[in-house]
Amino acid sequence: MAGDDTRSRIIETARELFTAQTYRAASMRDIAERVGITKPSLYHHFRSKSELLASLVGPPIGELEAVVERASAGAEAAGARRAVLEGCLDVMLAHRATMALLLRDASVYGDETAGIMSRVVGVINRAVDLLAGPDPDWRRRVRAAQALAAVADPIGQLPDVPAADLRAELLRGAGAILDLD
């Protein structure tokens, strides 16, 4: 149990440091010192900084993948579009700090993080496909990408806005882009 607590503290500290300093700038030594453990102890929990990042972003990415899978299994296209939009937004709001890191820190996209970032890009592409609806032309794909960006981008830019208020406004704006009633 104590190991799980230490692991959780490491992940939370990494999120804080990656957000404050960027993923590339924050070192494993910085994380270990902030947690109050030795660097070898940190490496006992995570073999590398990229493994630590994967542990940090893996759960929300898994939740986004689940939303997309559920929506793609949905019966009618309009319902699937709304389900993926609302579901992705809810996951992003539940993981605001992590999503801000993914959306604002280009240093998380590197050779050592290619696997986890490939999952991020894949789920975003699948979400855009669903938001575009069946047999979309290029204009509907553009609007679908715009709608997803419209809900994702403000997540990190407006951390002080209450989640419920932000959710309502983001859905209103993205729904208008997609012409959802």
Side-chain angles (χ1 to χ4, degrees):
M1 193 62 143
D4 288 343
D5 182 53
T6 300
R7 187 175 172 86
S8 296
R9 286 190 358 243
I10 292 167
I11 291 170
E12 184 54 37
T13 300
R15 178 187 353 265
E16 292 167 5
L17 287 175
F18 293 165
T19 301
Q21 301 177 5
T22 76
Y23 169 75
R24 186 175 322 268
S27 71
M28 292 293 269
R29 180 177 308 282
D30 295 335
I31 295 165
E33 287 175 1
R34 177 84 61 95
V35 173
I37 60 176
T38 64
K39 193 172 170 186
S41 196
L42 175 59
Y43 280 106
H44 170 74
H45 293 278
F46 298 97
R47 292 180 305 227
S48 66
K49 191 165 66 166
S50 61
E51 182 181 304
L52 178 51
L53 179 68
S55 294
L56 171 63
V57 302
I61 298 311
E63 290 175 35
L64 287 170
E65 288 169 333
V67 163
V68 169
E69 289 305 314
R70 281 191 305 273
S72 65
E76 52 109 8
R81 293 170 74 208
R82 182 165 299 284
V84 77
L85 182 63
E86 290 181 5
C88 286
L89 177 55
D90 289 341
V91 170
M92 290 179 202
L93 285 170
H95 300 280
R96 280 173 108 166
T98 301
M99 297 313 296
L101 173 68
L102 284 173
L103 296 168
R104 300 269 167 238
D105 183 1
S107 75
V108 300
Y109 295 88
D111 290 342
E112 72 280 0
T113 61
I116 191 72
M117 294 305 112
S118 176
R119 280 181 66 199
V120 172
V121 171
V123 75
I124 288 170
N125 288 340
R126 289 194 314 270
V128 167
D129 288 344
L130 285 169
L131 289 171
D135 302 317
D137 62 9
W138 68 269
R139 287 173 180 84
R140 284 182 61 192
R141 289 196 46 75
V142 166
R143 286 191 302 275
Q146 288 173 320
L148 192 58
V151 298
D153 286 350
I155 298 291
Q157 294 175 339
L158 304 167
D160 298 334
V161 176
D165 295 340
L166 186 57
R167 181 185 193 277
E169 194 56 34
L170 293 176
L171 284 175
R172 197 171 5 267
I177 293 169
L178 293 171
D179 198 26
L180 294 177
D181 293 323

